Amino acid sequence: MSLTVFTNFKIETNENFIRMKDSFYSFNKSDIQKWVINFRGKYKVKAKQFLDKELGSKLISFNLESKHGWFHDTKKMLPFLDTDYILYWIEDHICLC
């Protein structure tokens, strides 16, 4: 079984950034082959730097924020989803198990 974590983040505040880190640490030890993430918002650089440091080559990152919107930009990321399973990551969800 192979797994990709996929998301199109908009990290707009320090609180969003803290929640993203808490969420990441709640499940990052799972057997995840790659992380396909688009970074948007005021904290996009800080969020990308954090995940670059934590994930290294497992991170496939984007900086898409076109005038065509979230859905249009997200479609550009789809070719990188080639694993058996995909987890859509929402930055404030915490894995409790």
Side-chain angles (χ1 to χ4, degrees):
M1 177 196 86
S2 56
L3 175 65
T4 296
V5 173
F6 177 71
T7 195
N8 189 341
F9 277 149
K10 186 169 189 179
I11 308 297
E12 201 58 34
T13 67
N14 191 54
E15 183 70 20
N16 289 136
F17 178 64
I18 291 167
R19 294 295 156 244
M20 183 204 77
K21 291 192 321 184
D22 291 342
S23 176
F24 174 79
Y25 287 131
S26 78
F27 73 96
N28 71 308
K29 300 287 189 218
S30 300
D31 186 18
I32 300 167
Q33 282 65 50
K34 61 183 171 177
W35 302 65
V36 178
I37 300 175
N38 187 43
F39 296 93
R40 302 175 295 129
K42 292 178 185 173
Y43 282 74
K44 66 184 175 188
V45 172
K46 194 171 183 179
K48 183 182 181 309
Q49 288 172 339
F50 169 76
L51 289 174
D52 271 337
K53 180 181 174 197
E54 293 290 332
L55 298 171
S57 63
K58 288 186 174 187
L59 177 62
I60 299 170
S61 64
F62 295 85
N63 188 24
L64 304 170
E65 199 162 7
S66 75
K67 65 180 180 177
H68 301 291
W70 178 92
F71 187 75
H72 177 269
D73 295 344
T74 300
K75 286 191 322 184
K76 291 183 176 185
M77 301 164 61
L78 296 179
F80 294 88
L81 304 178
D82 59 0
T83 52
D84 298 322
Y85 296 95
I86 299 165
L87 170 69
Y88 188 81
W89 183 19
I90 300 173
E91 80 276 357
D92 62 353
H93 286 187
I94 302 291
C95 181
L96 296 176
C97 55

